[in-house]
Amino acid sequence: MQASAVAAWSDILCDISRAIGETRYNLWFRNTVAVSCEQSSLKVGVPSTFMAEWIETHYRDVLLEVASKRLGRSVDIAFVVEPTLFRNKRRREAAAKSELLDEAAPRQPAGLDIGRCSLDNFVVGPCNSVAYAAACKVAGNPATAYNPLFIHGGVGLGKTHLLLGIAGAIRGPRQRRGIEYVSAEAFTNRFLFALRNGTLDAFRQRYRTTKLLIIDDVHFLANKPATQEEFLNTYNTLSREGCQVVMASDSHPKLISKLKESLVTRFLSGMVVRLEKPGYDMRLQLVRHKAEQRHISLPPAVAEFVAGNVTGSVRELEGAVNTLAAYASLSGGSITTSIAREALKGLVKSHCRPVRLPEIDAAVTAYAALREGDLRSKRRTRPLARARHVAMY
Ligand code: ADP
Ligand code: MG
């Protein structure tokens, strides 16, 4: 190894990491070494032929550009396989792999219990009835209607619950073997892992031969062109074979940033449903349901207090009930509204009460130095029009 080569390559690496971002840098370049540097060529060692080819096809242009800037002359870059790198890489990967496999083993999302998340114990109300009906339809007759099914909505509103509910509702050992539930993040990690280890065949075998592919948190694919491409191909294969695909995401397909147009079109080609935040009645029903599940009895006034004050997601309501359950078991007694107020201080405080129209009216009137009622008057002078715009905003 030449000192000049080492220096040149480390300069180039520095610029490359800036140019392509840390993740891709770590994936493809962290494990490389300079071998030699001549007037017009630089030789670089990489761990495997596969990596050499990948770098050649995907990063050649940026490499040559960076190198000629750094070295002040144009050089060609050649890659050779360095067996020692490969051994180091293997050792590191063996460690990484055991972690990955651990993560893969219980095929369910952290903190969610597949048994608990069934379609039967999903509380249905105006905010989720369409999504629920679609999920039931898909579970009952996969790949007939609503394919793909795309569920979107804010965090903690029940997307993962519905996905697991669909998976859990499929009966029969043969059918169950054909289900694959994976988060987009795990899909991405496994894809990159397979790329690096030359195990793409196994990866594709796994995801392209399922009867029902369920992908959670699809928004994770934003800004990941290589994984998107792989997912597109996975999707196309499954769709050709008439398999069902179900997805969940925190936003509508069109609003996922930097998502390939071809994926967006496919996501929109089936059924897109949205989960809304629950309203008061629904929250009350959820609180009662969750309390029942935890075998605690909440006096009606307490349930109403929770439903009235914890106005965020279902997950927060669930958290509130869990907290009350803990208080109940600690105090050994029943829960009163004042205990609940005390116990849920944090949750309740975090929700500001809704701002009402008269308050907006008053605030804008004061700020714009208008008279009361000006905003609602028929006059249309410029300052008034402007103040009205501010109020509308
Ligand atoms: P998301 O995936 O949308 O972030 P989750 O599916 O993880 O939300 O839901 C958060 C928690 O709320 C879970 O424990 C889930 O069981 C519960 N939950 C959400 N919606 C409902 C519902 N309609 N009925 C019963 N439990 C629900
Ligand atoms: Mg989720």
Side-chain angles (χ1 to χ4, degrees):
M1 225 186 276
Q2 296 172 344
S4 63
V6 173
W9 185 235
S10 82
D11 283 348
I12 293 170
L13 283 183
C14 207
D15 293 351
I16 284 289
S17 99
R18 223 169 293 139
I20 67 175
E22 199 178 346
T23 316
R24 286 193 283 171
Y25 171 83
N26 284 338
L27 202 53
W28 303 110
F29 290 96
R30 200 183 49 161
N31 236 334
T32 57
V33 293
V35 177
S36 66
C37 182
E38 309 300 338
Q39 185 53 27
S40 61
S41 76
L42 177 64
K43 204 180 265 178
V44 174
V46 296
S48 65
T49 337
F50 173 75
M51 288 189 81
E53 284 169 6
W54 185 273
I55 296 175
E56 281 273 352
T57 43
H58 292 83
Y59 299 108
R60 189 174 178 78
D61 293 345
V62 51
L63 268 175
L64 292 183
E65 189 191 321
V66 164
S68 75
K69 265 196 207 135
R70 270 287 176 176
L71 304 178
R73 59 179 195 270
S74 70
V75 289
D76 192 33
I77 301 182
F79 295 97
V80 292
V81 176
E82 275 283 312
T84 49
L85 286 177
F86 192 66
R87 274 199 298 278
N88 293 344
K89 184 166 170 277
R90 263 292 145 87
R91 226 173 286 133
R92 265 207 305 278
E93 271 166 9
K97 186 174 187 174
S98 59
E99 271 168 34
L100 255 182
L101 290 182
D102 282 345
E103 175 252 337
R107 285 200 201 155
Q108 66 181 43
L112 281 187
D113 172 359
I114 289 193
R116 198 177 52 77
C117 289
S118 69
L119 291 179
D120 294 336
N121 64 22
F122 191 77
V123 179
V124 187
C127 62
N128 60 20
S129 58
V130 180
Y132 176 75
C136 291
K137 181 117 192 170
V138 164
N141 287 305
T144 45
Y146 310 153
N147 198 9
L149 172 62
F150 191 102
I151 303 172
H152 68 106
V155 286
L157 294 185
K159 300 182 293 296
T160 302
H161 188 132
L162 279 178
L163 297 190
L164 294 174
I166 294 174
I170 309 277
R171 299 280 168 236
R174 206 166 56 82
Q175 285 84 341
R176 293 202 59 79
R177 265 200 301 279
I179 305 176
E180 202 46 81
Y181 170 95
V182 65
S183 68
E185 181 172 10
F187 183 85
T188 306
N189 290 340
R190 288 172 197 162
F191 168 59
L192 296 179
F193 183 79
L195 258 185
R196 274 183 288 170
N197 290 274
T199 53
L200 269 181
D201 283 349
F203 175 85
R204 290 181 175 151
Q205 172 74 19
R206 176 168 177 184
Y207 292 110
R208 294 187 187 186
T209 58
T210 68
K211 287 277 162 275
L212 167 59
L213 178 63
I214 303 179
I215 303 227
D216 205 350
D217 294 329
V218 165
H219 52 268
F220 186 84
L221 296 181
N223 288 319
K224 300 202 173 46
T227 313
Q228 285 182 23
E229 184 69 35
E230 177 65 22
F231 184 52
L232 178 66
N233 292 327
T234 306
Y235 182 89
N236 288 343
T237 308
L238 292 178
S239 138
R240 253 197 322 275
E241 300 289 323
C243 305
Q244 174 76 46
V245 177
V246 181
M247 290 168 280
S249 157
D250 67 1
S251 45
H252 188 275
K254 282 194 179 164
L255 298 179
I256 300 178
S257 74
K258 302 251 176 75
L259 186 65
K260 285 166 83 71
E261 196 48 45
S262 44
L263 277 177
V264 176
T265 332
R266 278 165 182 80
F267 293 174
L268 294 179
S269 69
M271 171 86 161
V272 178
V273 288
R274 183 179 150 89
L275 290 173
E276 306 283 349
K277 274 189 177 180
Y280 175 81
D281 290 340
M282 175 77 177
R283 293 200 298 272
L284 191 57
Q285 222 180 316
L286 281 161
V287 169
R288 291 194 183 123
H289 176 84
K290 298 287 168 187
E292 204 172 292
Q293 270 186 334
R294 302 214 42 141
H295 307 294
I296 59 167
S297 74
L298 291 183
V302 173
E304 282 157 23
F305 171 79
V306 177
N309 289 281
V310 179
T311 55
S313 65
V314 182
R315 184 171 290 138
E316 281 174 38
L317 284 172
E318 216 171 51
V321 173
N322 290 345
T323 308
L324 294 182
Y327 264 71
S329 79
L330 281 179
S331 65
S334 61
I335 301 219
T336 62
T337 310
S338 66
I339 294 182
R341 193 186 302 278
E342 180 61 28
L344 302 179
K345 237 194 232 153
L347 270 175
V348 170
K349 225 181 11 202
S350 72
H351 296 289
C352 4
R353 92 205 143 74
V355 180
R356 309 202 180 276
L357 273 181
E359 290 163 323
I360 296 175
D361 186 347
V364 174
T365 301
Y367 181 77
L370 305 173
R371 272 170 313 169
E372 204 189 314
D374 275 356
L375 280 181
R376 277 166 285 127
S377 72
K378 287 210 156 62
R379 282 181 297 132
R380 285 198 255 168
T381 58
R382 186 182 277 269
L384 266 181
R386 173 173 302 222
R388 277 188 199 115
H389 277 126
V390 172
M392 278 186 257
Y393 175 75

